[in-house]
Amino acid sequence: MLKWVFLLILALVVRTQAAADQEVSLFQQGLQDFRGKSYDQSIARFTQALSEQKILKDYILLYRAQAFIALKRWNEAQKDLQDINNVDSHFKLILDSRLFLAQVFFELKRPAEVKPLFTKLLRKVRHTEDEPKVLFMMAKSDRLAGTGKGCKYLLQLYKKFPDDPSVQHWDADLDKNEFLGSPTECKYDLDDFRERMRALLWGGLDN
């Protein structure tokens, strides 16, 4: 009896390993197709990979969503990205999925749904390279949704991240600098300007 149980367990282990190997292989092929801009083919590979062991499920969903985005299939991209948000994923993976999801919501003319994606994440990304990306998305959400000017977030970009590509073209007058094609009209004071100058000096961008 124990012999048959052992053989059954061994067969299950072998089958599971084979499924995992197939998933990895399909993911790698899909990734190669994606990088070669063969988006339809990559979607087919990723979809097939999702029918296997699902060890790489979150990563497959993220790349399949990006392929959908490249093809402007916004609703399908939204579903994949929200599926990532519904599982216990790595923080960086969740953040990336929400940055892409924000892009999708903007394309779908649903800017009010963007800001809630980042409200709880803002604290976690403070003092990281991802903070300016989140600040920019939250400011854009406020502006396009008509819920405010986003000045709370634009001020942080102005004084803490003057070298970020999204605001690198700004000068000292925050209120006159353009955001989404219009002046920010955001208030700032001398202390804010001084903090901006310190950031510029620290980054060697004052020349």
Side-chain angles (χ1 to χ4, degrees):
M1 179 65 179
L2 289 176
K3 179 180 178 181
W4 287 109
V5 172
F6 173 76
L7 291 174
L8 178 60
I9 293 173
L10 180 60
L12 289 172
V13 169
V14 171
R15 183 176 179 182
T16 299
Q17 184 60 49
D21 291 343
Q22 177 71 353
E23 179 191 22
V24 172
S25 176
L26 287 167
F27 174 66
Q28 290 175 333
Q29 293 172 44
L31 195 57
Q32 184 175 357
D33 290 330
F34 175 81
R35 289 171 175 166
K37 298 185 178 180
S38 299
Y39 299 119
D40 286 312
Q41 182 64 28
S42 70
I43 289 170
R45 302 274 197 195
F46 292 142
T47 300
Q48 189 177 353
L50 286 171
S51 68
E52 300 295 337
Q53 190 64 19
K54 294 185 172 59
I55 295 173
L56 300 173
K57 177 183 177 182
D58 296 345
Y59 297 94
I60 295 170
L61 288 172
L62 182 65
Y63 278 99
R64 189 172 73 170
Q66 292 179 66
F68 283 137
I69 289 172
L71 296 173
K72 298 185 178 182
R73 293 163 61 174
W74 309 117
N75 291 315
E76 291 161 291
Q78 177 189 341
K79 184 179 184 305
D80 276 359
L81 294 167
Q82 288 179 323
D83 281 347
I84 295 172
N85 288 331
N86 289 334
V87 295
D88 185 20
S89 306
H90 186 275
F91 173 73
K92 180 63 175 176
L93 186 67
I94 291 178
L95 177 60
D96 286 346
S97 73
R98 293 190 182 184
L99 288 168
F100 282 115
L101 186 55
Q103 179 184 341
V104 169
F105 281 147
F106 285 135
E107 292 290 346
L108 292 173
K109 311 300 182 186
R110 292 156 56 185
E113 296 181 54
V114 171
K115 187 175 178 179
L117 295 174
F118 301 106
T119 302
K120 293 182 179 179
L121 294 182
L122 184 56
R123 182 180 299 177
K124 292 184 178 181
V125 299
R126 281 177 182 161
H127 310 297
T128 73
E129 62 181 9
D130 294 311
E131 185 177 1
K133 299 175 189 176
V134 173
L135 290 169
F136 184 89
M137 288 296 184
M138 296 181 82
K140 185 175 180 179
S141 176
D142 269 352
R143 287 263 170 155
L144 295 183
T147 54
K149 295 180 180 179
C151 289
K152 174 181 177 182
Y153 311 109
L154 294 177
L155 179 60
Q156 295 301 310
L157 284 169
Y158 167 81
K159 64 183 184 178
K160 293 172 61 178
F161 304 101
D163 60 333
D164 187 76
S166 64
V167 296
Q168 200 171 34
H169 60 288
W170 282 2
D171 59 26
D173 299 315
L174 174 60
D175 56 332
K176 297 177 182 177
N177 288 322
E178 288 196 357
F179 179 64
L180 303 181
S182 301
T184 68
E185 299 180 347
C186 295
K187 295 180 180 179
Y188 68 106
D189 57 28
L190 184 58
D191 287 337
D192 297 325
F193 174 73
R194 286 172 175 165
E195 187 171 346
R196 174 183 174 81
M197 290 306 298
R198 282 195 296 269
L200 286 169
L201 288 168
W202 183 260
L205 300 173
D206 58 318
N207 294 326

